Amino acid sequence: MASASAPPAALSAEQAKVVLAEVIQAFAAPENAVRMDEARDNACNDMGKMLQFVLPVATQIQQEVIKAYGFSCDGEGVLKFARLVKSYEAQDPEIASLSGKLKALFLPPMTLPPHGPAPGGSVAAS
């Protein structure tokens, strides 16, 4: 019943750190950096275009790394890996930090909309 590759759920927190670090290194590889730069240029900082151009490239780069750890080489594999990492984030600050670095590589910084709670607060106190 055991397969040649380890089942994704069997990754320990330490293994997840190693895989996260490898994924981050993969984004730094010259050929991948060029691919990401081209995708970002095509997206023009538009969130819809980011999903269209940047996310698929980022997903491919992650797939190339995580398939060696038993994750399927498709979008579902990336989602399973992301869920696994998320499950360790609260327990392990290093995983949370690495996860944040990974997300920053392909997600634009989120800015708060200018319409927040007004100074003085009109929010009802309980």
Side-chain angles (χ1 to χ4, degrees):
M1 194 168 209
S3 62
S5 60
L11 284 183
S12 67
E14 290 304 312
Q15 290 168 318
K17 287 180 201 177
V18 169
V19 179
L20 272 169
E22 285 184 26
V23 170
I24 291 168
Q25 286 176 343
F27 276 90
E31 66 276 8
N32 290 334
V34 168
R35 290 169 64 197
M36 287 297 290
D37 286 343
E38 288 173 355
R40 281 190 200 96
D41 289 346
N42 288 332
C44 302
N45 221 17
D46 175 278
M47 185 52 86
K49 290 183 179 179
M50 293 291 273
L51 294 172
Q52 183 181 358
F53 296 112
V54 178
L55 194 58
V57 173
T59 299
Q60 289 170 355
I61 293 169
Q62 288 182 73
Q63 287 169 349
E64 291 164 9
V65 175
I66 67 173
K67 68 182 179 183
Y69 293 90
F71 292 91
S72 59
C73 194
D74 56 13
E76 185 62 28
V78 172
L79 289 174
K80 285 180 181 177
F81 176 66
R83 279 189 223 110
L84 178 72
V85 168
K86 186 80 176 158
S87 74
Y88 284 130
E89 283 179 357
Q91 308 163 31
D92 192 313
E94 188 178 350
I95 289 179
S97 173
L98 288 167
S99 179
K101 287 178 186 175
L102 175 59
K103 289 174 190 162
L105 291 171
F106 60 90
L107 293 176
M110 298 300 285
T111 55
L112 293 175
H115 59 279
S122 57
V123 176
S126 49

